[in-house]
């Protein structure tokens, strides 16, 4: 796994240093915890392999909580208020899409 992560870092970011076993283990523990909101159901089998205990789990498709949506909506409001500033003028289209997605989540989520 260390080699696979190191190779992915090189391919995606050009980072040649790689990662240590300790880093991978710490990242897995972080994914298992609630600190970042993942609570990933990661299990060890054959004392060396990792997998999700729930085969349908996906870390990239975590549902947003109502609190998450509320905080994102608040952040969008702040950005909309600051949109007149030159460095934020290009955010208008993105903010509209985010707001539309938030409304869809609130209505159907």
């Amino acid at each position: 796994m260390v080699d696979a992560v190191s190779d992915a870092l090189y391919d995606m970011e050009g980072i040649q240093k790689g990662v240590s076993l300790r880093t991978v283990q710490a990242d897995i523990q972080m994914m298992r915890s609630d600190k970042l909101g993942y609570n990933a159901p990661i299990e060890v089998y054959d004392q060396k392999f990792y997998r999700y205990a729930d085969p349908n789990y996906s870390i990239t498709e975590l549902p947003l909580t109502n609190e998450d949506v509320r905080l994102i909506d608040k952040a969008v409001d702040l950005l909309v208020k600051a949109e007149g500033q030159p460095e934020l003028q290009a955010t208008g289209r993105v903010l509209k899409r985010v707001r539309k997605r938030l409304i869809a989540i609130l209505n159907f989520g």
Side-chain angles (χ1 to χ4, degrees):
M1 184 180 290
V2 171
D3 290 338
V5 172
S6 295
D7 290 346
L9 274 175
Y10 177 75
D11 291 344
M12 290 189 279
E13 303 291 332
I15 298 171
Q16 295 180 7
K17 184 178 176 188
V19 297
S20 68
L21 175 60
R22 185 177 172 127
T23 298
V24 172
Q25 290 170 332
D27 287 351
I28 290 170
Q29 285 307 110
M30 184 64 72
M31 290 169 63
R32 284 177 166 163
S33 79
D34 189 35
K35 284 186 179 181
L36 300 176
Y38 294 131
N39 292 313
I42 298 171
E43 65 182 10
V44 180
Y45 66 101
D46 293 340
Q47 298 180 350
K48 61 181 174 180
F49 300 107
Y50 293 91
R51 67 179 170 205
Y52 290 135
D54 175 0
N56 295 318
Y57 179 85
S58 171
I59 205 163
T60 60
E61 295 184 24
L62 293 175
L64 292 173
T65 66
N66 287 338
E67 178 68 5
D68 294 337
V69 173
R70 187 187 69 75
L71 291 172
I72 292 169
D73 192 48
K74 190 173 182 178
V76 169
D77 283 340
L78 289 171
L79 287 170
V80 166
K81 289 175 184 171
E83 194 176 355
Q85 305 209 5
E87 63 272 8
L88 295 176
Q89 286 180 350
T91 62
R93 291 186 313 264
V94 173
L95 292 174
K96 287 176 186 172
R97 290 196 327 253
V98 169
R99 175 67 43 84
K100 185 176 180 180
R101 182 72 176 123
L102 286 173
I103 290 169
I105 289 170
L106 289 171
N107 289 331
F108 301 108

